[in-house]
Amino acid sequence: MTLEPLWNDGPLIAGHALVALAGIVLGGIQLALPKGTPFHRALGYVWMSAMAYVATSSFWIHNLQWFGPFSAIHLLSLLVLHTLVFSIVAARRGKIKAHRIAMIQLYVFGLILTGAFTLIPGRTMHAVVFGG
């Protein structure tokens, strides 16, 4: 494993990837620990901020271009931002089941599944993890 390919892609992509990796770790911790505690709420806001950064920063990354400068990844970013707002509103309204489902889906699809796609040969994270 080497971070050199990540640094070579510049600060935007490096920051995007590193915050996404932090989101994977923090999200895993969040899912494993007890819910409803002050720590859960505080870590949740940190995690949601990380997710908002990852989704928002993607709009300036145009490595895949399917629709002008954008791709399906950018549609996913819009969905992530919508889900973050939905989840906060749900939790504040006491709709904890809706909040929980949305957060789990966001973690699995928004980080784990999309993260797996970054490991495709030719992508930066493939070079980071597998070399080359």
Side-chain angles (χ1 to χ4, degrees), residues 6-129:
L6 197 55
W7 306 140
N8 291 340
D9 275 352
L12 177 65
I13 291 177
H16 175 86
L18 292 173
V19 173
L21 288 171
I24 290 171
V25 172
L26 294 175
I29 292 168
Q30 188 72 326
L31 291 172
L33 292 179
K35 311 302 180 268
T37 65
F39 182 75
H40 172 81
R41 181 176 286 186
L43 185 59
Y45 279 114
V46 171
W47 185 79
M48 287 183 153
S49 297
M51 291 299 295
Y53 174 82
V54 171
T56 303
S57 66
S58 78
F59 292 109
W60 285 268
I61 299 172
H62 303 285
N63 294 355
L64 300 174
Q65 297 182 358
W66 299 351
F67 315 104
F70 301 108
S71 71
I73 295 295
H74 297 102
L75 294 174
L76 177 62
S77 295
L78 289 173
L79 181 61
V80 165
L81 294 170
H82 169 78
T83 303
L84 290 172
V85 172
F86 170 85
S87 297
I88 292 170
V89 170
R92 288 187 176 171
R93 291 184 178 168
K95 297 180 180 182
I96 302 306
K97 183 176 179 181
H99 170 77
R100 182 179 68 246
I101 290 169
M103 290 292 90
I104 291 169
Q105 288 176 340
L106 189 55
Y107 183 77
V108 171
F109 297 115
L111 282 174
I112 302 301
L113 184 63
T114 57
F117 282 113
T118 68
L119 298 176
I120 294 171
R123 308 275 323 262
T124 299
M125 290 311 290
H126 180 273
V128 167
V129 174

